[in-house]
Structures are given as C-alpha cells and as structure tokens.
C-alpha cells in the first residue's frame, strides 16, 4: 500500500509541474487562439539554460530563477512580436505549420549547439529527500511543486485583481470588444506569450535538479501539457492545475500499480475515457 | 469616405458630420454598408479613400484602441459584453483608458442609476438578458466619457419597453454634450429620436434631412415606413 501512496505523492508533485507547463499553453491558446506546438521546446531550452548556468558559471538552479524566468518572459514576448503576430489571421493550417516549424527550429538548434547528449545537474542545493509520515518527500520535486503553486497563485491574483489582468481576460474573451474599450490587444497578446513562456521557464529551472535534459525532451512534456489543458478544461487557470494533477496522479499511480513502462498509455486511456464522459473537461461546463 | 473588404468596395463615397450634443441616425436596408461604415470610422477597417477628422484633427489611420483614447466609443452590432467577467468588471473596463480619480464615484453613480446592474453586479455578464446587456453596454459608454458615440443597431431584437429604456440612455449620453451616431433598422424609432438622419443604400447616402422631416419624406415613407 505504501508504494501506492508514495506514487500518489510523486504524482501530485509532478502533476503540479505538468500543470505549470500546461498553464502557459492554455493562457496562450486562450488569449491568442494559437496552439503553440513548440511550447515544450521552450521547456527544453530553459533546462539547458539552467544547466549551462550551473556547468559554466556555477550558478545553482535555485539562484537561476531571477535570470532564467525574466529571460524566458522576454523570449516569449519576442517570439510573439517576430513570428506569431504575422500568423494571427492566417488559416489554422498555416498556424499549425508555423508553430510546428518553430518546434523543429528550436529543437534542432539545440541539437546543433549542444549535441545529442543527455545532461543533468548534480550537487544542487535542491537535492536529497526528507521522511514524511512513512513516505519519502523528494526535496527537488517538493520545491518544484511549491514553485508551481506559487506561480499559479500569482497568476490568479494578477488576472483577477489587476487592471492589466482584467484587460488580458477581456482580450481572451473577445478581442474586438476589448479594442472598443481601449485595450491594446497586440500588447495583451505579446504579454500572454511572455507570461506563458515565463511560466515554462519556472518549470524548467525546478525540473533541472531531478530531470535530465536532451534536445528531444519536449515530446513527452508537450503531450502531457496538452492532455492537462484538454482534461482540465480549456482556457482557465484552474483547469490547467486540475488537469496537471490528474495526469500526474494517473501516470504515477497506475505506473506503480501496473507497469512504469506504460505510464503514458495509462494517461491517454484515462484521458480519452474522461473526454467521452465530459467533453468540455473536468473544470469546463 | 470609401471603404470595403479586399477589392470589394462597400462604402462608395459617404460624407457625414456630427455635432456635439446631437443624435444623427443612419437607416438603410440590410447589407447597405452601415456596419462597414462604423468599422471604418473606428479603425477596424482602413478607408480606401477619404478623410476623418475629430475636432479639426485628422484621425484617419489611428488604431482602434487609440480611437478610444481620443474619445470615440463604439458599441458594435451584436455582442459587446464580456460574458466571463462580472457585470462590475465589465462596467469598470469602460474606464480602462481613464486616468482621473473620479472613476469610482462615477461607477457608483451608474450602479445607482441602473438598478438592474446593481442587483447583478457580482454575477457574470453572460447571465444577463439581451436588454440588460444593452443597458450594461450603454452604461459602460457613459463611464468612458467619450466625445463621439457610435451605436450599431442598439435596439435589435429588443422588446418595445426596452427600446424606450435604451433611448433614455442614449439621450442622457447626448445630454452630456456627446455626438451620437446611431445605425438603426428600426426606422420609426430612429427618426423619432434623431435630430438628423440619413438613408444609406448600396454604400451611398440616398436622402438626408432632419429627423421629423424624414418621417414625412415621400420616398422614405414608401420604402421604409410601408406607406
Ligand atoms: N467581413 C466581411 N468581409 C467581406 N464582406 C463583408 C464583410 N462584412 C460585411 N460584408 C459585406 O459588406 C456589405 C455590407 O455589410 P454591412 O456593413 O454589414 O451592412 P449593414 O450593416 O448595412 O447591414 C454586405 O454585402 C456584406 O456581405
Ligand atoms: Mg449591420
């Protein structure tokens, strides 16, 4: 029984991180109507950034936050200004090709620059584990989960308690109406990319101490983030959180009970089953 | 002004002027280009030819959100509320471009003036009825403190009692020295409330005149008033 509880604990911790990756995907999707297929490539690059800061400048991941997160906010912002802005009113197929192209561009740039080797950080301040009522709490995973929760809370407050946050919500709901209220929707679109990719930066930094990176690491995360967004209910902050938690739990608990090799299979079986019953997702109406 | 979509010209040379504290109505059949004209004035569409001035200053080519800062309010045909935000948030966004400190007082006064909104201020705007939405949209325009208001068929689909309420608000907007340009299918209502009116057909102004006069205009009577 203990190993199930242990798997559930890990599932919750990882699920929050999946939720954090899903959050950016969902926000960008909700505000700009663009499905960012390259989303998890930013995660991969964020992990490389954290790795190189550690390997070359001896900066611990814990202290990489104030460097990586603002840089990734800017990265998202610039991606919008340079690429996404041009495809906003393009047909859906062109949009898919554009972000798919971006995925390949980022991934193979990483291959070219860093080679195919798997790279991991060791000896970080975020290492080790503590006992927790008969279970083992991994410190780096706990820290990642806590960071995810803080990001969720921060974003919720921003969206619901600030003028700019409400303008962002208005833009997501109807960008024409938002413009008739004097909201610069271009600015809001760029902001959603900044926040979405910035959130991925947070996830990348906190994944680094316990998850090795390589150029193709994005695949699994993109699928998990997508499932979280769709499962939780598209377009809401709480949806990404709930979706991520479910995915993390299913993956880890069923993986531990049956076979870890088939973790992703279980995720998608449950994913399809939930959507058959609730097509709008768990949080959606 | 000339305007259209791609190579298709919809507005074929329309000249208009609006004065402060004046209500000008535009009527005309479906597809005449009324909504296209408003979209072009507000900057959603770029005019293919022509000029646009506000208080003597050219505002052609100004981006839509900047139009609001210049004092132009636009209530589009159809949906203008943000259904997922509360009634109060919707209202408050009317003051998005305002920087003065009076917003809160103005907002409270509006909630007092419109008990329907007061009663539902914490509910999502998506639950409002069609008439209530219109009241919300117009109350929001009041909070914007504009110089010019563009209304696209504000009474479409409303019951007669709501239509009167909508025009009560329109008159209070005008009362504050605002120029109101209203597009209407509802010809009698429009001509009754407007100081001046014009008829748009196939992208050009066929007739124009004072509101009451237009009600007597033989051609307008025949085509739009059914006799
Ligand atoms: N987005 C659009 N793209 C192309 N043509 C349009 C578009 N919107 C309207 N039209 C065309 O422009 C003409 C005028 O439409 P509109 O301005 O909506 O008329 P009205 O508001 O007077 O009913 C119509 O023939 C319509 O089919
Ligand atoms: Mg119209």
């Amino acid at each position: 029984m203990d190993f199930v509880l242990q798997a559930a604990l890990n599932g919750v911790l990882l699920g929050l991180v999946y939720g954090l990756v899903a959050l950016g995907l969902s926000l960008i999707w909700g505000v700009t109507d663009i499905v960012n297929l390259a989303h998890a490539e930013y995660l991969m690059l964020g992990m490389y950034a954290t790795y190189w800061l550690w390997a070359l400048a001896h900066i611990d991941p814990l202290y990489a936050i104030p460097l990586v997160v603002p840089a990734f906010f800017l990265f998202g912002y610039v991606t919008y200004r340079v690429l996404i802005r041009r495809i906003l009113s393009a047909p859906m197929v062109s949009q898919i090709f554009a972000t798919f192209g971006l995925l390949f561009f980022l991934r193979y740039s990483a291959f070219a620059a860093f080679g195919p080797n798997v790279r991991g950080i060791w000896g970080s301040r975020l290492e080790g584990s503590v006992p927790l009522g008969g279970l083992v709490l991994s410190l780096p995973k706990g820290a990642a989960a806590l960071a995810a929760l803080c990001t969720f809370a921060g974003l919720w407050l921003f969206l619901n308690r600030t003028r700019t946050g409400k303008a962002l919500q208005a833009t997501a709901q109807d960008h024409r109406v938002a413009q008739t209220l004097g909201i610069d929707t271009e600015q809001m679109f760029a902001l959603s990319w900044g926040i979405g990719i910035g959130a991925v930066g947070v996830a990348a930094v906190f994944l680094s101490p316990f998850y090795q990176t390589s150029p193709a690491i994005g695949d699994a995360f993109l699928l998990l983030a997508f499932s979280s967004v769709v499962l939780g209910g598209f377009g809401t902050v709480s949806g990404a959180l709930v979706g991520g938690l479910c995915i993390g739990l299913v993956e880890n608990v069923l993986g531990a009970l049956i076979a870890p090799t088939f973790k992703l299979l279980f995720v998608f079986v449950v994913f399809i089953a939930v959507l058959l019953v609730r097509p709008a997702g768990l949080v959606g109406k | 002004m000339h305007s259209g979509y791609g190579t298709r010209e919809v507005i074929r040379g329309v000249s208009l002027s609006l004065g402060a504290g004046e209500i000008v109505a535009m009527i005309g059949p479906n597809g005449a280009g009324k909504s296209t004209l408003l979209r072009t004035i507000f900057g959603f569409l770029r005019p293919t030819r022509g000029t646009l001035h506000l208080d003597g200053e050219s505002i052609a080519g100004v981006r839509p959100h900047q139009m609001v800062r210049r004092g132009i309010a636009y209530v589009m045909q159809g949906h203008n509320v943000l259904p997922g935000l509360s009634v109060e948030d919707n209202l408050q966004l009317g003051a998005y471009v305002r920087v003065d400190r009076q917003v809160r007082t103005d907002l409270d006064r509006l909630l007092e003036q419109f008990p329907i909104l007061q009663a539902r201020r914490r509910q999502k705007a998506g639950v409002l009825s069609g008439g209530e939405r219109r009241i919300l949209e117009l109350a929001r325009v009041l909070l914007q403190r504009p110089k010019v208001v563009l209304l696209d068929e504000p009474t479409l689909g409303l019951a007669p009692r709501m239509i009167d309420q909508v025009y009560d608000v329109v008159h209070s907007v005008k009362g504050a020295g605002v120029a109101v340009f209203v597009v209407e299918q509802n010809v009698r209502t429009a001509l009754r409330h407007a100081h001046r009116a014009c008829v748009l057909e196939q992208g050009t102004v066929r007739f124009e005149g004072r509101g009451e006069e237009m009600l007597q205009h033989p051609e307008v009577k025949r085509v739009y008033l059914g006799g």
Side-chain angles (χ1 to χ4, degrees):
Chain A
M1 199 53 215
D2 263 8
F3 80 99
V4 176
L5 284 178
Q6 182 66 53
L9 174 64
N10 287 339
V12 167
L13 299 181
L14 278 174
L16 286 167
V17 180
Y18 298 158
L20 184 55
V21 180
L23 176 65
L25 190 65
S26 180
L27 184 74
I28 287 170
W29 196 345
V31 176
T32 61
D33 255 332
I34 298 278
V35 179
N36 180 23
L37 293 173
H39 199 67
E41 303 311 305
Y42 290 91
L43 183 75
M44 176 270 294
L45 290 175
M47 290 175 72
Y48 270 108
T50 313
Y51 171 81
W52 289 117
L53 282 173
W54 171 80
L56 299 178
H58 310 294
I59 295 174
D60 194 271
L62 195 56
Y63 305 125
I65 282 285
L67 298 172
V68 173
V69 176
F72 273 66
F73 179 95
L74 204 65
F75 197 0
Y77 197 92
V78 169
T79 304
Y80 174 80
R81 288 281 175 202
V82 173
L83 175 69
I84 305 303
R85 198 162 62 86
R86 298 168 207 282
I87 58 165
L88 279 182
S89 50
M92 178 108 157
V93 180
S94 314
Q95 296 178 345
I96 291 175
F97 277 120
T99 63
F100 204 47
L102 181 62
L103 178 158
F104 279 109
F105 173 73
L106 296 177
R107 177 173 302 183
Y108 289 96
S109 299
F111 261 119
F114 314 132
N117 296 349
V118 170
R119 295 176 197 268
I121 291 174
W122 37 265
S124 144
R125 300 185 72 104
L126 294 167
E127 215 162 66
S129 53
V130 290
L132 183 83
L135 304 177
V136 181
L137 174 68
S138 142
L139 284 180
K141 286 181 189 165
L146 189 65
L149 277 178
C150 291
T151 311
F152 269 106
L155 187 64
W156 190 88
L157 285 174
F158 168 71
L159 286 176
N160 292 291
R161 293 278 179 275
T162 70
R163 174 173 170 275
T164 308
K166 292 203 172 139
L168 198 62
Q169 287 193 61
T171 306
Q173 284 172 34
D174 191 325
H175 63 95
R176 289 265 154 182
V177 171
Q179 286 182 77
T180 68
L181 298 172
I183 296 167
D184 185 351
T185 51
E186 274 284 304
Q187 201 68 34
M188 294 298 143
F189 286 172
L191 183 64
S192 74
W193 275 77
I195 295 173
I197 302 301
V200 166
V202 176
V205 169
F206 280 94
L207 272 170
S208 293
F210 65 94
Y211 209 105
Q212 294 178 323
T213 190
S214 63
I217 198 182
D219 286 341
F221 280 98
L222 183 65
L223 280 175
L224 290 169
F226 254 113
S227 334
S228 304
V229 171
V230 178
L231 195 59
F234 154 79
T236 61
V237 173
S238 53
L241 181 71
V242 170
L245 278 173
C246 292
I247 300 281
L249 273 171
V250 168
E251 180 198 49
N252 284 275
V253 173
L254 291 186
L257 279 174
I258 308 171
T261 327
F262 301 125
K263 284 203 292 199
L264 279 181
L265 176 66
F266 306 137
V267 168
F268 288 105
V269 169
V270 171
F271 174 68
I272 291 166
V274 169
L275 287 190
L276 285 177
V277 184
R278 288 185 63 94
L282 292 169
V283 178
K285 292 178 282 306
Chain B
M1 177 178 283
H2 293 248
S3 169
Y5 304 91
T7 55
R8 171 143 185 249
E9 188 165 66
V10 173
I11 298 301
R12 302 184 170 98
V14 170
S15 293
L16 282 171
S17 69
L18 302 174
E22 186 182 39
I23 300 179
V24 176
M26 172 174 271
I27 58 176
N30 249 325
K34 305 182 295 299
S35 297
T36 304
L37 180 65
L38 293 191
R39 279 182 209 127
T40 312
I41 295 174
F42 191 68
F44 279 148
L45 284 175
R46 215 169 255 286
T48 43
R49 254 191 301 151
T51 56
L52 187 64
H53 292 270
L54 177 65
D55 290 340
E57 195 184 339
S58 170
I59 54 166
V62 170
R63 288 170 62 203
H65 71 274
Q66 293 289 358
M67 286 288 187
V68 180
R69 281 170 209 273
R70 304 261 185 146
I72 299 191
Y74 176 27
V75 180
M76 298 179 290
Q77 188 175 338
H79 301 287
N80 290 274
V81 303
L82 300 157
L85 287 174
S86 71
V87 168
E88 186 167 354
D89 282 345
N90 263 277
L91 209 46
Q92 196 140 35
L93 279 169
Y96 184 76
V97 297
R98 279 177 59 180
V99 287
D100 57 278
R101 307 213 145 265
Q102 274 215 35
V103 172
R104 191 68 238 177
T105 352
D106 285 0
L107 189 86
D108 288 339
R109 196 175 316 134
L110 281 175
L111 285 171
E112 228 166 85
Q113 189 181 344
F114 300 105
I116 320 168
L117 303 182
Q118 173 75 285
R120 294 177 177 266
R121 62 194 284 189
R122 304 235 179 277
Q123 295 181 33
K124 292 233 158 49
V127 306
L128 299 183
S129 71
E132 290 166 346
R133 282 174 196 229
R134 279 279 114 115
I135 297 295
L136 173 57
E137 290 161 11
L138 291 170
R140 195 168 65 186
V141 164
L142 282 168
L143 201 62
Q144 270 179 288
R145 287 205 181 158
K147 293 179 186 161
V148 178
V149 178
L150 311 172
L151 301 174
D152 199 345
E153 304 209 17
T155 60
L156 191 68
L158 296 188
R161 200 171 46 85
M162 276 320 289
I163 293 181
D164 290 342
Q165 266 197 27
V166 163
Y167 271 93
D168 284 348
V169 188
V170 171
H171 281 289
S172 74
V173 171
K174 170 212 69 178
V178 175
V180 179
F181 185 53
V182 57
V183 161
E184 270 286 1
Q185 286 276 348
N186 217 321
V187 176
R188 264 177 226 283
T189 312
L191 297 185
R192 198 146 38 84
H193 289 284
H195 300 106
R196 289 189 292 131
C198 59
V199 179
L200 191 76
E201 278 179 13
Q202 296 181 4
T204 55
V205 173
R206 277 288 300 279
F207 320 105
E208 56 184 315
R210 300 225 334 254
E212 300 288 337
E213 271 168 29
M214 296 284 277
L215 277 171
Q216 307 306 324
H217 193 293
E219 199 61 5
V220 172
K221 263 168 112 168
R222 191 175 61 76
V223 180
Y224 296 99
L225 300 170

